[in-house]
């Protein structure tokens, strides 16, 4: 059975680890400086804390982090990987732009390790489903197929590093972008005193979108702090100087505002909950 | 039968006129300085060209224009209305922010005319449907109910001037906003060489959104020049300094880029058509 290193044991990382350990794999991580919540998630998922130096002994390293932390991890691990006896496969599974993943791939290559660009589409693995999909691109992508036997839905794109990230960006740009639009317009309608009129018109003429937003907007609150960075990566992917890029710069700021509200007054959260409760 | 003035005979204005003349109403307009296409639409809809001065003799004036032209029309008609013997009901039916419609209402009030804020939701009237919905707010809103007998779906919101426009803004912000997101990410995926991967993932995990975008994105091309101004109004409605407002500032620019491409190289249009053709 292979040894897989997963950094870090966040919601996605720990759920992936849990699926791998259930399939019999050994999953290692480093808990140095991590919160008690991360330690608890790691323990529940059957992960072993081996420290950063020992991560290099794994067969595969999966980097699963908030997008803003992805490059820093590669920079921190590079010297460790460079002086190790083994050369693990390094898969960056983060929601970053093709440009960012290109830089990360360069750092990993300079440490002598094979590199795979991975875009995860779908929520964290659950016991009753086969998802999420791990799209993989780059010359070493096929090597990740070994994880299929451990219950991970690996989908190789026969394309260079950057393709898997581009797919992730464009997919998230639509889904998490729509969540941002819904939240933005629900808040504006609420402030203007027309929330009930908006939800009744949406129910009547856009029932499919109303239903989608009713499910997705509340799930976003606790992730907004993380989606901020993802929207910034999408802005860069789409071209910051273009209309597309400006849309996602705005979405990043919206998610920052909601994340701040969640930690503070919770006024926007309360308004969103009220509007959503009116959707049929 | 009442006389209704409609400015201008664009796609929406002419289609509304056609429904009214079919119901037996007299519909007047001013064709001074209008294109041949507008003249043809006006004639086909049974509209009479009476010139701007005579518009003041109508029972009701419906302003149906690209959003950037709405305030200028009110300013141009105000002196005509002020010196006329009659005081028609003036309904601003444009996709403008509550702030803009407040200014327009002030201009109309200074000319001594009753004012209604109207937000039209849905496409131009067709023979086989009852829509679109004309949401009306402001103290004089109930006076517009007279148009119900002529086949117009008037829905009075018992709220002040600005409410109907706020409803229109927040609804369009979701629907035309999603069209912008879809176009933005299809173009970015196409440039990155992952368009086919995006459409196949959307078909698999977001079939409802894939289907919605397949229908709506191509219908947008010819309207992008007009949606630009509508997105600017939504940016102002949502607050230009906030994340929400920045999103719509970006959407306005995207629609400008697409409108320019449609008049010019049509490269983006071709890319969008290619991506959309892959959606199941």
């Amino acid at each position: 059975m292979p040894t897989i290193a997963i950094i870090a044991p966040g919601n996605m990382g720990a759920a992936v680890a849990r699926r791998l350990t259930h399939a019999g794999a050994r999953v290692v991580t480093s808990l140095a400086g991590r919160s008690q919540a991360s330690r608890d998630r790691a323990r529940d998922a059957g992960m072993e804390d081996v420290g950063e130096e020992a991560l290099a002994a794994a067969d595969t390293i999966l980097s699963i982090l908030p997008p803003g932390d992805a490059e820093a991890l590669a920079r921190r691990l590079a010297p460790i990987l460079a002086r190790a006896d083994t050369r693990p496969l390094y898969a960056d599974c983060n929601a970053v732009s093709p440009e960012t993943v290109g830089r990360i791939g360069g750092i990993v290559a300079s440490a002598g390790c094979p590199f795979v660009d991975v875009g995860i589409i779908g929520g964290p693995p659950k016991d009753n489903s086969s998802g999420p999909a791990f799209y993989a691109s780059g010359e070493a992508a096929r090597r990740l197929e070994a994880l299929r036997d451990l219950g991970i839905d690996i989908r190789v794109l026969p394309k260079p590093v950057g393709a898997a990230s581009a797919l992730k960006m464009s997919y998230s740009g639509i889904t998490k972008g729509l969540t941002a639009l819904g939240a933005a317009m629900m808040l504006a309608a609420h402030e203007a005193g027309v929330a009930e009129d908006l939800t009744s018109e949406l129910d009547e003429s856009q029932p499919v979108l109303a239903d989608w937003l009713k499910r997705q907007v509340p799930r976003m609150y606790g992730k907004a702090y993380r989606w901020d960075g993802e929207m910034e990566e999408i802005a860069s992917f789409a071209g910051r100087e273009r209309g597309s890029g400006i849309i996602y710069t705005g979405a990043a700021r919206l998610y920052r505002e909601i994340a701040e509200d969640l930690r503070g007054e919770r006024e926007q959260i309360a308004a969103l909950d009220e509007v959503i409760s009116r959707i049929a």
Side-chain angles (χ1 to χ4, degrees), chain A:
Chain A
M1 272 294 179
T3 296
I4 295 142
I6 295 184
I7 307 109
N11 286 322
M12 177 64 83
V16 172
R18 185 181 150 90
R19 179 166 289 173
L20 291 169
T21 58
H22 280 214
R26 180 176 177 234
V27 179
V28 299
T29 192
S30 165
L31 293 174
R34 303 296 305 186
S35 68
Q36 189 57 46
S38 288
R39 291 172 177 275
D40 292 346
R41 272 194 302 264
R43 189 197 55 231
D44 294 347
M47 301 169 87
E48 283 176 52
D49 178 16
V50 297
E52 281 199 346
E53 286 287 337
L55 295 175
D59 299 290
T60 301
I61 297 176
L62 304 181
S63 165
I64 304 179
L65 290 164
D69 299 338
E71 190 170 346
L73 177 73
R75 289 195 190 283
R76 209 166 67 235
L77 291 187
I80 296 171
L81 294 170
R83 65 177 171 257
D85 299 330
T86 49
R87 292 286 177 266
L89 178 67
Y90 189 109
D92 184 281
C93 309
N94 302 301
V96 295
S97 70
E99 190 185 334
T100 301
V101 88
R103 281 200 309 273
I104 293 171
I107 295 163
V108 170
S110 73
C113 291
F115 180 75
V116 190
D117 175 16
V118 172
I120 303 178
I121 292 188
K126 290 178 190 163
D127 291 344
N128 57 358
S129 78
S130 63
F134 281 59
Y135 286 94
S137 71
E139 282 180 24
R142 299 197 70 90
R143 292 184 52 181
L144 211 61
E145 290 180 337
L147 298 186
R148 273 195 199 145
D149 295 337
L150 300 167
I152 306 295
D153 180 10
I154 303 291
R155 303 184 185 188
V156 174
L157 301 176
K159 297 179 179 181
V161 164
S165 287
L167 171 58
K168 167 71 178 173
M169 296 279 96
S170 51
Y171 181 89
S172 283
I174 292 173
T175 55
K176 293 171 186 166
L178 176 55
T179 303
L181 293 180
M185 292 296 96
M186 286 177 192
L187 288 171
H190 185 267
E191 275 183 43
V194 297
E196 64 193 331
D197 308 300
L198 174 63
T199 54
S200 94
E201 177 58 40
L202 287 172
D203 276 332
E204 181 185 332
S205 62
Q206 298 288 348
V208 146
L209 297 185
D211 180 61
W212 196 95
L213 292 170
K214 187 184 179 80
R215 281 183 290 115
Q216 300 298 336
V217 170
R219 292 184 192 169
M220 164 273 288
Y221 307 154
K223 304 176 195 168
Y225 80 95
R226 189 145 50 76
W227 290 9
D228 162 12
E230 186 165 345
M231 294 300 113
E232 293 286 1
E233 291 290 323
I234 297 174
S236 155
F237 167 61
R240 288 193 177 274
E241 76 293 347
R242 294 187 192 171
S244 305
I246 296 168
I247 291 174
Y248 292 97
T249 300
R253 187 181 294 193
L254 172 79
Y255 283 135
R256 274 201 295 284
E257 292 162 356
I258 289 176
E260 275 171 34
D261 181 70
L262 182 70
R263 285 192 302 268
E265 300 294 319
R266 298 183 68 100
E267 284 176 12
Q268 293 186 322
I269 303 295
L272 288 172
D273 278 339
E274 193 192 318
V275 179
I276 286 160
S277 72
R278 295 178 189 275
I279 296 175

